[in-house]
Amino acid sequence: MSNTLININTRLDIGDNDICIVESFLGGGGQGEVYMISTSKGKFALKWYFKRNQTKFLKNSLKELINRGSPNHTFLWPIQIVEYKGHFGYIMNLRPDNYKKSQKLLDREFSLTYTSVCNAVLSLCDSFRKLHVKGLSYQDISWGNLFIDPINGEILICDNDNVSVHGQGKVGISGTYGFMAPEIVRGDHGPDQYSDLFSLAVLMFQLLFLEHPFNGKRWTKIACWDDFAKKKLYGTEPIFIFDPNNLENRPMPGVQDNAEIFWNMYPDYIKNNFIKVFTKGLIDRENGRLMEEIWMDSFRKLKENIFPCPYCGRENIACENINTVCWGSNCKKKLDNPPKIKISIGKRERYIVLNKDTKLYSYQLEGGGYDENFANKVVGEVTKSPSGKWGIRNLTNYNWNYTIGDIKKQVEPNKAFVLTNNIEIDFGKSKGIIIN
C-alpha cells in the first residue's frame, strides 16, 4: 500500500525553528495514515488524518491529551500537533521492531511463557490504572491497539488519540466487537472507565487462554457472522464459556481446545476473577468488574509461584497442597513443589517460590504501592556462594536480621544468608520464613 495523504520527503514546520521530514509510509487504518519522520531530536511517527476526520473536536481533544501528558511509558501518546495546508496530524514515538501485534499471539506466530504473560498483564493493568487515575477512559481496548515483546512481555499501547475524559466518550467511538462491554454493544451506555475494565478483562483472558471468553459452542453454530449475530453473542445474550451455572456455551472440542487446556493450568484465584467479571460483571458495571489493583494482586501472586521444571526447563505454576505435573507435552513428569519463602506484613501473607534467579521486590518486603516503578525495585535476590551454598542477598541499604534456633545474626547490605529450612528473617517492615 502506498501513501496517499503526504508525499515522501515533504518538509513540515513543527515549531521552535524545527522541521520534520517525511521519510516513509508505515501503515494506514480507518482514521488516517502513519509515517516515519525525522527531526532534529530524532525519528518519530506522524499520524495524519483523512479529510473526514479533520475536525475541530478531534484537534481540541488532541490538545487536551498533550496537555495532560502520557500516563506512563507504555503509551505511544500524542506529543505534538502538526499542521500543513489546513490539515493536521500528531507526532508520537516510534514503535520498536521487537514489539509484535498482539493478534499474532492468537495466530500462533509467537508464544509467551507464564512469566512474560504475567509481565504483559501487570503492565497492562498498571498502564490503564494510571490512565483512569488521570480521569480518562481509553474506549477501544482491543488486540489492534496492543503490541508485545515476545521475549519479556513488555507492551506498548497505540491509537491513544481516541482516549477521552471518563463519561465524555467521543461521538462515533464505541470500541471493537468482541471487546466492547455488553451495554456498549446494545447501545445502552457510552464508553467509559467501567467499559474499559470489561474490555481489559477480555484482552487479558485471550492473552492467557488464547480463546475468546464468549466464543464457545454457540459461536460455532453461527451461520452468518453479521451485526445481528455479534450483538446477540456479545451484547444481548452473552454467556461465558466457563460460566459455572450455565453449560450452554462451553468450548467446542476440536475448535476451542486452547481454552480447556489453559483453563486447567491456571489456579483458581485467577479463574475466579474472570468468572466474576464475565458473569456478575455482564450486568453490574460498577461492582462486577474488577479494578486493576485486584488483577495486579492476583498476577503478582501467580508470577511469584512460577518455577522451571528440573527435567525439561518448562515453566510451571506451584499451587498450594497440589502436586504439579509438568505441562511440557514431552515431559509430563510429577514435580515436587519447590522451596518457598513466606513473607508476612501484618496479617497478609505471600508465598514466593525460590528459584536460582528469584528476586525480591520492594512491594513484597515493604508493602503498599501498585506503581510498577516501585514494585519492580529489586531489594533482594537468590544467589550462590563460591562454596555452592544458596542464599538470599540483601540489596537494600539497611540491615536484615535472622534467627535460626538460638542463633541471631544480622545480614548487612550486599551480604547474604544461607537458605535453611525454618530460618526466620526480619526484613524491617516484614518477616519471612523459609519453607522447604
Side-chain angles (χ1 to χ4, degrees):
M1 179 179 178
S2 61
N3 62 294
T4 58
L5 296 179
I6 302 179
N7 293 326
I8 302 303
N9 295 322
T10 297
R11 299 164 71 90
L12 305 174
D13 184 354
I14 59 174
D16 295 328
N17 296 317
D18 199 2
I19 62 167
C20 73
I21 301 174
V22 179
E23 291 196 353
S24 62
F25 174 76
L26 296 177
Q31 290 182 310
E33 296 178 344
V34 180
Y35 302 83
M36 182 169 72
I37 61 172
S38 61
T39 74
S40 62
K41 297 178 182 178
K43 296 184 184 298
F44 295 86
L46 172 68
K47 181 171 182 178
W48 205 259
Y49 293 100
F50 294 129
K51 186 175 181 179
R52 63 178 180 272
N53 297 110
Q54 297 276 344
T55 66
K56 183 177 180 180
F57 180 89
L58 178 56
K59 182 190 280 190
N60 289 337
S61 178
L62 286 171
K63 289 179 180 178
E64 174 69 15
L65 295 178
I66 292 169
N67 288 336
R68 286 181 181 246
S70 178
N72 72 4
H73 67 281
T74 66
F75 292 93
L76 296 175
W77 200 257
I79 297 173
Q80 180 180 350
I81 292 176
V82 179
E83 299 188 60
Y84 178 65
K85 293 185 176 180
H87 291 171
F88 68 90
Y90 73 89
I91 294 174
M92 58 185 162
N93 286 325
L94 280 169
R95 171 177 59 86
D97 292 338
N98 55 304
Y99 287 86
K100 309 300 180 186
K101 291 182 178 180
S102 55
Q103 175 65 46
K104 294 184 181 295
L105 178 65
L106 280 191
D107 298 336
R108 306 314 293 266
E109 292 188 25
F110 69 87
S111 59
L112 297 173
T113 63
Y114 283 133
T115 297
S116 55
V117 165
C118 286
N119 289 341
V121 169
L122 285 167
S123 187
L124 267 173
C125 291
D126 181 58
S127 298
F128 285 107
R129 183 185 67 84
K130 289 175 177 173
L131 180 87
H132 292 157
V133 166
K134 279 179 170 280
L136 302 171
S137 66
Y138 189 84
Q139 302 192 94
D140 190 17
I141 297 173
S142 73
W143 281 121
N145 304 325
L146 177 66
F147 292 86
I148 303 175
D149 184 334
I151 301 301
N152 52 33
E154 291 183 358
I155 67 165
L156 287 175
I157 301 166
C158 67
D159 289 345
N160 298 291
D161 46 343
N162 290 326
V163 171
S164 183
V165 174
H166 171 61
Q168 299 179 22
K170 296 178 185 176
V171 177
I173 300 297
S174 295
T176 302
Y177 270 127
F179 292 88
M180 286 187 284
E183 69 273 12
I184 309 299
V185 176
R186 296 191 301 266
D188 298 341
H189 206 286
D192 58 13
Q193 292 183 359
Y194 294 114
S195 59
D196 274 1
L197 293 177
F198 188 90
S199 301
L200 178 61
V202 173
L203 182 57
M204 293 190 297
F205 185 91
Q206 294 197 72
L207 285 173
L208 267 68
F209 304 105
L210 303 182
E211 298 288 358
H212 192 281
F214 301 106
N215 289 2
K217 291 180 180 178
R218 296 168 77 234
W219 178 79
T220 64
K221 296 176 181 178
I222 295 173
C224 180
W225 190 235
D226 55 11
D227 279 354
F228 176 81
K230 294 174 184 177
K231 287 180 179 179
K232 181 177 180 179
L233 195 69
Y234 303 134
T236 59
E237 300 179 26
I239 300 175
F240 181 38
I241 58 175
F242 293 114
D243 187 327
N245 299 314
N246 189 337
L247 308 182
E248 180 185 341
N249 196 30
R250 283 291 185 266
M252 175 67 77
V255 180
Q256 292 125 358
D257 292 336
N258 282 329
E260 288 282 6
I261 292 170
F262 286 100
W263 186 255
N264 291 326
M265 289 181 179
Y266 283 94
D268 288 344
Y269 58 84
I270 295 292
K271 295 187 285 190
N272 288 339
N273 283 350
F274 286 111
I275 289 172
K276 180 176 182 179
V277 174
F278 297 139
T279 55
K280 181 179 180 180
L282 294 175
I283 301 170
D284 191 340
R285 301 176 74 245
E286 297 188 16
N287 301 304
R289 299 173 188 178
L290 302 185
M291 299 297 290
E292 295 92 343
E293 292 89 346
I294 297 175
W295 285 112
M296 291 175 75
D297 279 339
S298 296
F299 281 98
R300 282 175 173 177
K301 181 177 180 180
L302 181 66
K303 188 176 179 181
E304 290 165 352
N305 283 276
I306 295 171
F307 70 101
C309 171
Y311 303 102
C312 71
R314 293 273 192 175
E315 286 190 343
N316 288 269
I317 301 170
C319 296
E320 295 176 24
N321 304 318
I322 296 177
N323 290 325
T324 302
V325 176
C326 179
W327 76 272
S329 58
N330 296 320
C331 184
K332 302 296 183 183
K333 288 185 171 61
K334 262 189 183 178
L335 305 177
D336 294 328
N337 275 326
K340 297 182 178 181
I341 180 170
K342 181 177 80 171
I343 296 177
S344 304
I345 300 180
K347 294 183 178 180
R348 180 164 186 172
E349 297 178 345
R350 64 186 336 121
Y351 293 81
I352 303 170
V353 164
L354 296 174
N355 302 312
K356 64 179 181 179
D357 55 356
T358 295
K359 299 186 186 305
L360 301 180
Y361 299 94
S362 53
Y363 79 89
Q364 297 166 335
L365 301 190
E366 299 173 10
Y370 286 94
D371 187 285
E372 284 295 274
N373 292 328
F374 168 81
N376 290 330
K377 179 184 176 184
V378 179
V379 293
E381 64 180 2
V382 171
T383 185
K384 193 174 185 180
S385 70
S387 63
K389 294 181 179 180
W390 289 97
I392 296 180
R393 186 181 305 282
N394 180 0
L395 297 180
T396 71
N397 57 6
Y398 53 86
N399 292 340
W400 295 342
N401 298 286
Y402 73 83
T403 303
I404 180 167
D406 295 329
I407 302 173
K408 296 183 179 181
K409 288 189 176 181
Q410 286 190 332
V411 186
E412 298 175 350
N414 208 36
K415 300 294 183 180
F417 64 88
V418 176
L419 290 176
T420 306
N421 195 29
N422 294 324
I423 186 172
E424 298 180 7
I425 311 98
D426 186 342
F427 296 109
K429 294 182 179 180
S430 62
K431 298 184 183 302
I433 182 170
I434 304 299
I435 304 172
N436 281 325

